[in-house]
Amino acid sequence: MRFGILGPLEVRTDDGTPVDPGGPRPRALLTLLLLDAGRTVSAQRLVDGLYGTRPPAGAANALQSQISRLRRRLAPHTAIEATPAGYRLVTAPDTVDAHRFEELTARGRAVAADPRQAAALFAQALALWRGPALADLPEARAEAARLEELRLFAAQDRIEAELALGGGPGLVPELRALLAAHPLSERLYGQLMRALRADGRPAEALTVYEQARRTLADELGADPSPELAALHLELLQGAEPRRPRLPVQLTRFVGREPELARIGVLLTAHRLVTLTGPGGAGKTRLAIEAAAATTRPAIETSPAETRPAIQTGAAPDRSPAACFVELAPLADGGRVAYAVLAALGTRDGFRSPATDVTDRLLAALEDRELLLVLDNCEHLVEDAARLASLLLSTCPGVRILATSRESLGVTGEVLVPVPPLPREPAVRLFLDRARAVRADFDGHARVADICAALDGLPLAIELAAARLRTLTPDELADRLGDRFRLLSRGDRSKAPRHRTLRAVVEWSWDLLDEEERELARRLTVFSGGATLEAVEAVCGLPYPEDVLASLVEKSFLEVSEGRYRMLETIRAFASECAPDLADAHAAWFLRLAERAEPHLRGAGQLTWLARLAAERADLDAALRHLVRHDPAGALRLMGPLSWFWRLRGVHGERVATARELLAAVGQEPPPGLEEEYVLCVINALSGAGEEPDLIARVDDVLMAYRAPLRLPYVLVLWAVAAGPRPSTDTQARTLAGDSPWANALLDVGFGFRAQFAGRPREAEECFTRALRGYRATGDRWGMANCLDPLGMYAHARGETGRALELLDEGLAHVRELAAPEETADLLRSRATVLLHRGDTAGAVGHFEEALALARGAGLPDKVAAARRGLGDAARLSGDTAGARVHYEDALRQCAANWFSVGETVRALIGLGRTAAADGHAEEAVDWFRQAADLAGEGPGGLELADAAEALASVAGAPERAAELLGAAAALRGAGNAVDPDVVRTERDTRAHLSVRGYDEAFDRGRALRAAAVSER
């Protein structure tokens, strides 16, 4: 079948026969499915698309009916499949005109270098439109607007291609019509000006520019872009170009605001400022911009005059002039003075012998105010330094702004490092240069990654952006592994060493001596930088300090806080002929990890966590190498790293590596590496709940293990991965041995088990005992995991101040550790306390912070918990619509594992309480019953207690409500005097019963416990 949604919905069989999908509702439903043709669309998204943000009661059942009717109308030509996540229209995307449109426009942009082919593709794409997009789906305004915007871009791209083919006269009416609909589009103004010029109507083209200028000023308060202004200048006749003293730049200057401001300040106080940095960092452009900002244009001379057009002396207002001297083409240091004279416009004449060049230069500058820009001094650094020193000591009005990959080493010199661009300006630069080759480019998710992979080097970014003429952003990003081949086509007007990325790096490489090159080659084995200790151990060169310092001075390395780092671009170049040091590298980082392991569970954990975090890239590289070449060594490395990953919230990233290692090791652990093998299996668990063979494998190994654990965090990682195992208590004590840390961990486990079983006093005793143990070891993670439940027990007793004190201490510990998961947990606990005492704004702030941390760490169950908390806050504030959104999102986030049952139950209860608040009692009961059914499958009684309290709020008969409250108290092991929902239910129930009647019903519920809930 063929489907059309770029206009009124159209459905035709393959032979062109029209098919009637039905009335407005099925037409809207089919449009929704077509937007994701061939992919599953969730039921909730379909309901939202059909009914908006306030669907009627029973919308889910209505959706099923609509799906059934639509199936019958489309049969037998195509089908609608029901999936666990929603519904899927069984058709290929290219059967839908909207998807075909996007495919054709993408192909058109990919062949933009061939305007004839591009114009045909864009015309074919635009011909698919029959009217406004998604006309049968009024709720999809945002998607319709997106498609209409793409339609405009495609029209502009087609016009661009036709202009390139010599079109013009026939395009003018179309362009005027488009401008009437889009009066703020500078691209359309420019295209209309070019079309008019091609039609021999330059005067009208100038009028269009004035129209654009007025419209932009009136509507946006902005001037025309440099591109539009440049086109305007092309149309003007008879203008005499002015000759600047600094090279005219053809692109906008992006970023470098801090460096530019600093240079301006330094040049007012110092006479020699040198910009240093790696090749391609943009030193030359920055120097030109700084010189332009610091000086004013000197007085120009008329063309009839015989003096040089560039006046280098000071203007009458004494504003200094600037003179740009390019040293890169020079191979002989003796020619530096000649280069300066040539830039000044001074000619040798027939009588000037070469030997007096320096004297003539000094005479020319002796009484002048001048900023001299000496560009690219690195290959002639000694000669440039000598001349700079002489000029500064002889010519008091001269200041020098130099660029070099190393300092000149002259007394009084001030250095301004020019590092790679940070993320945000790097992305801005890429977007600016990309739009120069693809005017419709509006960004892409991988742009930031491309800039990071290119080290933020402006030259590399500009070369990469230029490749968007023929590559998509994804193709560009995927090819950066071979960056020197990819970025091999640059500006032909530039000096050869600035045309390609390889040429830039080779220029720097040729300036190193052989000892520096050898160490640079060896340093490429490090992925994330290295300490001096690591360099000595891995690189095998004695006393590398001086060579490292030299590489830093020549901008080949960066050094910060004792770590030496090589830009990835330089690393890629140097590694082409580097020796194989991977074994030595892996051995060093294995020793480092084993040395760090015991400190991660004690008072020194902050120092060692920071150390491992700094070495994370190299630890990962060492692990990958060992997995492939030494599986036993890889197990030894993964063992100590497992706890580091857990504390820093990155353990989920290691599933693929752990599975590869597990396959290499086999079914049985190597002798002596049982604990490491268990940790590898735990890291290999995906959390999908469908890996019983792996779980059984760990159980077998641990139950057979008799020695106390060397890596006691095996216990907690296994408990989290596999769930509570009461039957393994005896073995757990054997594995803990006499380790204070491990025994404190056991107390935490016993505390949670008692809590789930409704024994709060016993649980609090276990957590208190564990806290003492962790305080003795100095482990912040352990203390925080005790302070969280202890704070909530204080809250349950009504001791709000004490609860906040305990939670704040826990938060201080986990924030020191930068542990995202535990921080999110404690923030949610604190938010709950604040919400229960009426501080909704404070609670929302905590829930939102917890949500951000959970998202960043990739923890869907924690995301669900934070969303559910936001739902509670919204509901208790009266925003039931917002609450429903949060609860439904929480349900979607809940993963299929044992510890997400509780969050799923609480989200279902939240939806029920929201329905009750909106007056939908039957719907509320249905949600609560679902929650109770699921809670009965959970690991403990707390969720069932929550469900019982919720059912009590809609029980109808007060005696039944009291029984359910009693059952909840029995399951919890205590009453619930802090939750405002439960407090309100109890108050309302007591209002309808005598004291004796309430107490008797409550006691009946306590005796029945779970049965009282299941009977409902």
Side-chain angles (χ1 to χ4, degrees):
M1 297 188 78
R2 312 298 296 182
F3 303 91
I5 56 177
L6 298 179
L9 178 65
E10 182 178 77
V11 184
R12 293 183 180 274
T13 62
D14 290 337
D15 62 4
T17 304
V19 175
D20 181 12
R25 194 77 71 190
R27 295 174 73 87
L29 176 59
L30 180 55
T31 303
L32 282 167
L33 292 168
L34 289 170
L35 284 172
D36 283 283
R39 296 194 298 268
T40 296
V41 184
S42 71
Q44 186 59 53
R45 183 174 169 190
L46 293 172
V47 168
D48 291 344
L50 291 173
Y51 301 107
T53 57
R54 302 182 72 86
N61 292 331
L63 173 64
Q64 291 178 348
S65 299
Q66 295 285 355
I67 289 285
S68 297
R69 286 195 290 272
L70 187 57
R71 275 196 186 113
R72 289 194 294 271
R73 285 184 173 270
L74 297 180
H77 306 289
T78 192
I80 301 175
E81 291 183 349
T83 73
Y87 298 94
R88 182 174 77 91
L89 182 68
V90 183
T91 190
D94 63 4
T95 64
V96 184
D97 58 1
H99 301 303
R100 179 68 175 155
F101 167 75
E102 294 199 52
E103 177 199 355
L104 288 168
T105 55
R107 286 170 54 194
R109 293 186 184 103
V111 298
D114 182 353
R116 192 171 304 280
Q117 186 180 356
L121 287 166
F122 287 126
Q124 186 182 349
L126 291 164
L128 296 170
W129 285 75
R130 298 169 292 103
L134 311 183
D136 294 273
L137 190 60
E139 293 294 335
R141 287 183 290 273
E143 179 63 16
R146 185 187 74 86
L147 289 168
E148 294 288 353
E149 186 176 36
L150 292 178
R151 182 185 190 182
L152 174 61
F153 289 156
Q156 292 173 322
D157 287 339
R158 196 211 83 237
I159 291 169
E160 194 70 34
E162 293 190 10
L163 285 170
L165 292 170
L171 298 173
V172 171
E174 179 184 3
L175 282 164
R176 290 197 186 279
L178 285 171
L179 265 174
H182 307 281
L184 299 179
S185 172
E186 289 192 79
R187 190 182 184 195
L188 288 174
Y189 282 117
Q191 289 178 331
L192 179 56
M193 290 165 67
R194 290 160 59 197
L196 288 166
R197 179 176 62 182
D199 196 23
R201 298 148 68 182
E204 288 185 58
L206 292 173
T207 302
V208 170
Y209 177 80
E210 289 303 317
Q211 177 191 347
R213 186 184 60 77
R214 286 195 303 271
T215 302
L216 294 172
D218 293 344
E219 298 295 329
L220 303 177
D223 293 326
S225 67
E227 293 80 8
L228 196 61
L231 179 58
H232 176 240
L233 288 175
E234 287 181 24
L235 293 166
L236 293 172
Q237 299 297 313
E240 184 68 31
R242 295 169 61 85
R243 295 183 60 192
R245 294 158 304 163
L246 293 168
V248 173
Q249 302 304 298
L250 304 180
T251 55
R252 285 189 293 184
F253 184 60
V254 178
R256 299 293 187 206
E257 291 84 0
E259 291 91 345
L260 195 60
R262 186 178 176 218
I263 295 166
V265 172
L266 291 175
L267 283 173
T268 63
H270 302 275
R271 295 180 59 214
L272 174 58
V273 176
T274 301
L275 312 186
T276 62
K283 300 183 295 296
T284 298
R285 180 65 185 270
L286 179 58
I288 291 170
E289 297 293 334
T294 304
T295 63
R296 296 180 182 177
I299 295 176
E300 301 289 339
T301 57
S302 71
E305 294 184 83
T306 58
R307 290 175 297 170
I310 300 179
Q311 176 67 26
T312 57
D317 65 357
R318 303 304 293 169
S319 296
C323 179
F324 183 83
V325 185
E326 171 61 89
L327 300 182
L330 303 184
D332 178 5
R335 305 292 298 176
V336 174
Y338 283 102
V340 178
L341 279 173
L344 289 169
T346 303
R347 294 174 173 80
D348 284 344
F350 290 105
R351 295 180 299 166
S352 301
T355 53
D356 69 354
V357 62
T358 303
D359 291 338
R360 287 186 292 111
L361 178 58
L362 294 176
L365 296 179
E366 186 175 11
D367 297 321
R368 293 198 179 178
E369 295 282 335
L370 180 71
L371 174 60
L372 197 62
V373 181
L374 298 180
D375 189 43
N376 294 302
C377 299
E378 54 271 350
H379 63 305
L380 305 171
V381 64
E382 293 185 2
D383 297 283
R386 278 194 294 270
L387 182 63
S389 179
L390 180 62
L391 290 175
L392 293 172
S393 63
T394 308
C395 308
V398 171
R399 289 174 295 157
I400 295 176
L401 178 60
T403 75
S404 178
R405 298 184 194 185
E406 62 177 301
S407 66
L408 301 187
V410 174
T411 301
E413 178 184 29
V414 178
L415 299 180
V416 177
V418 182
L421 286 170
R423 176 189 176 100
E424 189 273 333
V427 170
R428 277 197 286 130
L429 177 64
F430 185 95
L431 295 176
D432 182 83
R433 301 307 192 252
R435 287 165 185 152
V437 297
R438 284 180 54 182
D440 64 329
F441 187 73
D442 58 355
H444 189 274
R446 300 188 71 178
V447 167
D449 294 335
I450 292 170
C451 295
L454 295 173
D455 301 302
L457 289 174
L459 176 64
I461 290 170
E462 293 188 350
L463 291 172
R467 293 309 301 261
L468 292 182
R469 290 187 182 96
T470 55
L471 298 177
T472 68
D474 285 324
E475 290 170 335
L476 176 62
D478 292 341
R479 285 163 171 75
L480 286 180
D482 192 5
R483 65 190 63 203
F484 294 116
R485 183 194 61 79
L486 181 68
L487 307 182
S488 60
R489 300 177 64 185
D491 186 343
R492 294 188 182 92
S493 68
K494 296 286 183 70
R497 67 184 189 83
H498 270 160
R499 289 182 192 170
T500 70
L501 189 61
R502 177 175 289 280
V504 170
V505 181
E506 281 179 339
W507 174 269
S508 295
W509 185 259
D510 291 342
L511 298 178
L512 304 180
D513 61 33
E514 187 52 40
E515 187 179 24
E516 292 165 342
R517 289 177 190 155
E518 181 58 28
L519 181 55
R521 294 186 190 102
R522 292 171 180 254
L523 287 171
T524 62
V525 73
F526 295 101
S527 299
T531 62
L532 177 59
E533 181 185 15
V535 173
E536 288 179 312
V538 175
C539 292
L541 295 178
Y543 311 112
E545 296 94 328
D546 291 342
V547 186
L548 287 169
S550 180
L551 289 171
V552 170
E553 289 170 2
K554 294 182 179 181
S555 301
F556 233 81
L557 291 179
E558 298 173 336
V559 61
S560 176
E561 298 180 351
R563 294 185 63 80
Y564 296 89
R565 179 182 175 271
M566 185 178 281
L567 294 181
E568 188 59 32
T569 298
I570 295 175
R571 181 171 173 262
F573 180 89
S575 65
E576 292 176 351
C577 51
D580 186 357
L581 298 177
D583 287 342
H585 174 271
W588 161 257
F589 283 99
L590 172 57
R591 292 195 299 273
L592 177 69
E594 289 178 334
R595 183 159 43 123
E597 188 279 322
H599 298 287
L600 297 179
R601 295 178 281 112
Q605 62 189 170
L606 292 183
T607 300
W608 282 95
L609 277 171
R611 177 72 186 275
L612 293 185
E615 306 287 7
R616 182 175 156 189
D618 281 284
L619 288 164
D620 290 349
L623 181 60
R624 288 193 298 270
H625 175 77
L626 290 172
V627 167
R628 289 164 176 77
H629 301 284
D630 179 9
L635 282 177
R636 288 175 55 202
L637 180 55
M638 184 173 282
L641 286 183
S642 296
W643 192 235
F644 164 68
W645 295 336
R646 176 63 178 73
L647 290 176
R648 281 299 163 92
V650 295
H651 47 294
E653 300 174 11
R654 309 299 178 221
V655 172
T657 303
R659 292 193 172 212
E660 183 181 356
L661 177 55
L662 207 56
V665 172
Q667 296 288 323
E668 299 296 330
L673 294 177
E674 291 84 358
E675 296 175 41
E676 289 81 356
Y677 181 83
V678 164
L679 289 167
C680 181
V681 175
I682 293 172
N683 287 316
L685 292 171
S686 67
E690 300 176 355
E691 295 155 315
D693 57 327
L694 292 180
I695 293 174
R697 201 183 305 181
V698 172
D699 278 342
D700 291 343
V701 173
L702 288 181
M703 292 305 293
Y705 201 54
R706 291 291 174 262
L709 294 170
R710 293 173 287 104
L711 307 174
Y713 43 83
V714 165
L715 293 170
V716 65
L717 294 180
W718 184 234
V720 170
R725 301 293 185 90
S727 61
T728 63
D729 286 356
T730 301
Q731 179 64 359
R733 293 187 185 279
T734 299
L735 295 174
D738 58 1
S739 164
W741 191 94
N743 279 282
L745 179 63
L746 289 182
D747 277 327
V748 171
F750 295 148
F752 279 117
R753 189 186 303 164
Q755 178 176 304
F756 295 152
R759 301 193 299 273
R761 181 175 300 176
E762 178 186 337
E764 191 167 10
E765 289 173 355
C766 289
F767 289 125
T768 301
R769 189 164 57 245
L771 179 61
R772 285 197 299 270
Y774 281 128
R775 288 198 193 281
T777 67
D779 187 317
R780 294 164 178 80
W781 174 87
M783 288 188 278
N785 275 276
C786 299
L787 290 163
D788 190 350
L790 287 172
M792 297 312 289
Y793 279 123
H795 172 54
R797 291 192 296 271
E799 300 172 7
T800 302
R802 177 59 178 160
L804 292 175
E805 288 177 9
L806 293 168
L807 295 173
D808 286 345
E809 183 187 348
L811 272 170
H813 291 319
V814 293
R815 280 179 165 149
E816 281 186 310
L817 291 172
E821 184 167 350
E822 285 75 16
T823 306
D825 287 340
L826 278 152
L827 283 168
R828 288 198 317 276
S829 295
R830 197 176 197 281
T832 301
V833 174
L834 294 179
L835 186 62
H836 287 175
R837 76 172 188 179
D839 184 0
T840 306
V844 167
H846 284 352
F847 283 133
E848 287 179 342
E849 187 179 351
L851 177 63
L853 286 167
R855 278 176 173 164
L859 302 166
D861 56 305
K862 307 296 182 183
V863 171
R867 278 289 194 187
R868 190 262 311 161
L870 287 169
D872 290 344
R875 177 176 55 79
L876 291 171
S877 300
D879 179 11
T880 54
R884 188 178 294 107
V885 171
H886 288 304
Y887 291 136
E888 289 173 348
D889 189 73
L891 284 178
R892 283 192 293 271
Q893 292 288 341
C894 283
N897 47 46
W898 69 268
F899 47 81
S900 63
V901 170
E903 276 311 320
T904 305
V905 168
R906 284 184 279 275
L908 292 170
I909 290 172
L911 285 168
R913 291 196 184 279
T914 303
D918 285 339
H920 306 308
E922 291 184 7
E923 182 184 345
V925 171
D926 182 60
W927 286 118
F928 294 155
R929 286 176 176 170
Q930 289 185 52
D933 290 341
L934 181 61
E937 303 171 8
L942 297 185
E943 292 79 17
L944 203 55
D946 290 337
E949 289 163 347
L951 285 164
S953 68
V954 292
E959 293 84 358
R960 182 61 183 150
E963 287 179 357
L964 286 165
L965 290 173
L971 289 164
R972 200 184 301 281
N976 188 344
V978 291
D979 186 323
D981 291 310
V982 180
V983 170
R984 182 172 54 255
T985 300
E986 181 181 346
R987 183 187 64 236
D988 293 345
T989 303
R990 286 183 179 277
H992 290 85
L993 294 171
S994 65
V995 173
R996 180 177 178 181
Y998 179 88
D999 290 343
E1000 288 177 351
F1002 187 87
D1003 289 341
R1004 284 196 303 273
R1006 288 182 65 92
L1008 292 172
R1009 293 170 64 95
V1013 182
S1014 61
E1015 291 170 4
R1016 289 183 290 279

